[in-house]
Amino acid sequence: MDAAARKEILSLSKMAHDLTESSYQKDPSIRGESGWSEKQRILLADMALHLLQTALRDGELSEENLKRNLFSILTISDQFLPGYELKKAAASL
């Protein structure tokens, strides 16, 4: 990937991340309420954008950031994919 494409993707991902994070913070749902699942989907999207930014950031890929991103994605995804023990996989990171 050339530097211009990388820079453009990172710029767009920052805008998407800001919008996603803002939406998550404005959502008043709490665990057990009907809107909780939607709030968790927003959080999952937010974590996916963090992963995108980690993967495309200049320099060496940060192992710690990658592990943190994957841990979050697996932990959140566990509620959407019961029976796959994603939290257990996340704990192994």
Side-chain angles (χ1 to χ4, degrees), residues 12-51:
L12 292 169
S13 74
K14 182 182 180 340
M15 289 189 305
H17 176 257
D18 290 347
L19 288 168
T20 304
E21 200 166 78
S22 175
S23 294
Y24 180 81
Q25 291 172 351
K26 289 178 184 174
D27 190 320
S29 300
I30 58 173
R31 186 181 302 273
E33 291 184 348
S34 62
W36 179 251
S37 180
E38 180 63 25
K39 187 172 184 177
Q40 291 301 287
R41 289 175 59 168
I42 296 168
L43 183 59
L44 182 58
D46 180 53
M47 293 301 111
L49 288 164
H50 280 283
L51 177 59

Side-chain angles (χ1 to χ4, degrees), residues 47-60:
M47 293 301 111
L49 288 164
H50 280 283
L51 177 59
L52 172 80
Q53 293 167 341
T54 294
L56 294 183
R57 197 164 282 131
D58 284 336
E60 293 292 316

Side-chain angles (χ1 to χ4, degrees), residues 55-72:
L56 294 183
R57 197 164 282 131
D58 284 336
E60 293 292 316
L61 183 62
S62 167
E63 183 178 324
E64 283 307 308
N65 286 346
L66 181 58
K67 287 184 342 185
R68 186 175 34 255
N69 296 152
L70 293 172
F71 177 86
S72 297

